Amino acid sequence: DTEVTQTPKHLVMGMTNKKSLKCEQHMGHRAMYWYKQKAKKPPELMFVYSYEKLSINESVPSRFSPECPNSSLLNLHLHALQPEDSALYLCASSQPTREINTIYFGEGSWLTVV
Amino acid sequence: GNSVTQMEGPVTLSEEAFLTINCTYTATGYPSLFWYVQYPGEGLQLLLKATKADDKGSNKGFEATYRKETTSFHLEKGSVQVSDSAVYFCALGLNTGGFKTIFGAGTRLFVKA
């Protein structure tokens, strides 16, 4: 069982809706990530939070807004999305130590924009 | 730049066949290397990793050795099972002012009974 929990597992939203994806981990990790994965493609990094501060934004459109309320939680706020934003959104976490460490993924949230 | 190149799939094998999935990388600095597996409809699971040259990662019968001289991290398994059918991603991890994991395109494996 994964120790990174994502909700909801499935979300269908209209282009004018506002919704949020949520992620929680209790492994004591201090780095958290959002990835986007389209069908038959590898995950693409969107955002990295390190010690609750945004450290990497991979030029993601502003209709995606991340938030890290505390060290265990990571949200992705969605507003005015486009159908091409439909994808699997993966949350992940790791220890932000000097050495490269393993990232642990949740099972993802399947997003469909209609 | 930093990148990962995997052999294209799909790869179709019979049960108990030998598996090799090739992976090569380009990176600045000293990356860690990973293999992740994704079963249908699920997220990614770490399969194995290696953090420095000549390290061998292994798990569930899968192995991969970090070869700095050939910049490779090929995945092998001596005898595949139907339950190994999945997509396999090779990845490298870098600390570039933040922690990035860069994935290869993925290789889909089908194992027939």
Side-chain angles (χ1 to χ4, degrees):
Chain A
D1 286 340
T2 181
E3 295 183 71
V4 178
T5 304
Q6 291 188 241
T7 55
K9 289 202 185 307
H10 297 274
L11 176 64
V12 179
M13 61 184 290
M15 289 188 284
T16 58
N17 291 160
K18 281 186 181 181
K19 297 285 184 184
S20 297
L21 304 180
K22 298 185 182 301
C23 175
E24 187 169 8
Q25 58 90 12
H26 292 291
M27 294 180 280
H29 290 167
R30 300 304 296 275
M32 295 187 76
Y33 311 77
W34 281 114
Y35 283 82
K36 174 182 177 180
Q37 187 180 21
K38 301 284 278 184
K40 299 186 179 181
K41 296 289 187 183
E44 297 177 354
L45 183 65
M46 301 175 71
F47 303 104
V48 180
Y49 274 82
S50 181
Y51 295 99
E52 295 86 69
K53 290 189 182 349
L54 184 65
S55 62
I56 295 178
N57 176 342
E58 293 285 272
S59 303
V60 179
S62 60
R63 58 186 184 269
F64 295 92
S65 175
E67 179 196 20
C68 190
N70 61 52
S71 60
S72 300
L73 294 174
L74 183 67
N75 298 322
L76 186 63
H77 302 299
L78 313 171
H79 175 53
L81 295 192
Q82 303 297 310
E84 59 266 28
D85 296 322
S86 298
L88 177 65
Y89 288 84
L90 294 162
C91 175
S93 70
S94 74
Q95 284 292 21
T97 56
R98 275 193 169 188
E99 294 178 350
I100 304 302
N101 216 325
T102 307
I103 56 172
Y104 294 89
F105 285 88
E107 294 196 348
S109 293
W110 292 91
L111 173 67
T112 303
V113 181
V114 297
Chain B
N2 302 304
S3 65
V4 177
T5 302
Q6 288 180 239
M7 63 187 288
E8 288 197 21
V11 174
T12 302
L13 297 173
S14 297
E15 212 166 20
E16 300 183 2
F18 185 87
L19 168 70
T20 300
I21 300 178
N22 290 337
C23 171
T24 57
Y25 68 90
T26 303
T28 54
Y30 302 97
S32 289
L33 299 173
F34 305 88
W35 278 100
Y36 284 87
V37 59
Q38 188 171 34
Y39 298 101
E42 297 185 10
L44 276 73
Q45 301 175 24
L46 176 69
L47 182 59
L48 53 84
K49 70 176 183 180
T51 57
K52 61 183 186 298
D54 299 325
D55 269 3
K56 177 186 280 189
S58 60
N59 185 27
K60 299 180 181 179
F62 291 90
E63 293 184 339
T65 301
Y66 189 143
R67 301 282 187 205
K68 190 177 177 186
E69 63 276 13
T70 54
T71 61
S72 65
F73 193 55
H74 305 321
L75 182 69
E76 295 182 338
K77 186 175 185 183
S79 176
V80 294
Q81 305 300 312
V82 172
S83 57
D84 294 326
S85 299
V87 180
Y88 292 81
F89 291 97
C90 185
L92 63 85
L94 290 166
N95 184 350
T96 56
F99 296 86
K100 279 192 175 186
T101 300
I102 296 167
F103 290 88
T107 302
R108 186 172 294 276
L109 171 66
F110 292 104
V111 180
K112 301 185 295 186

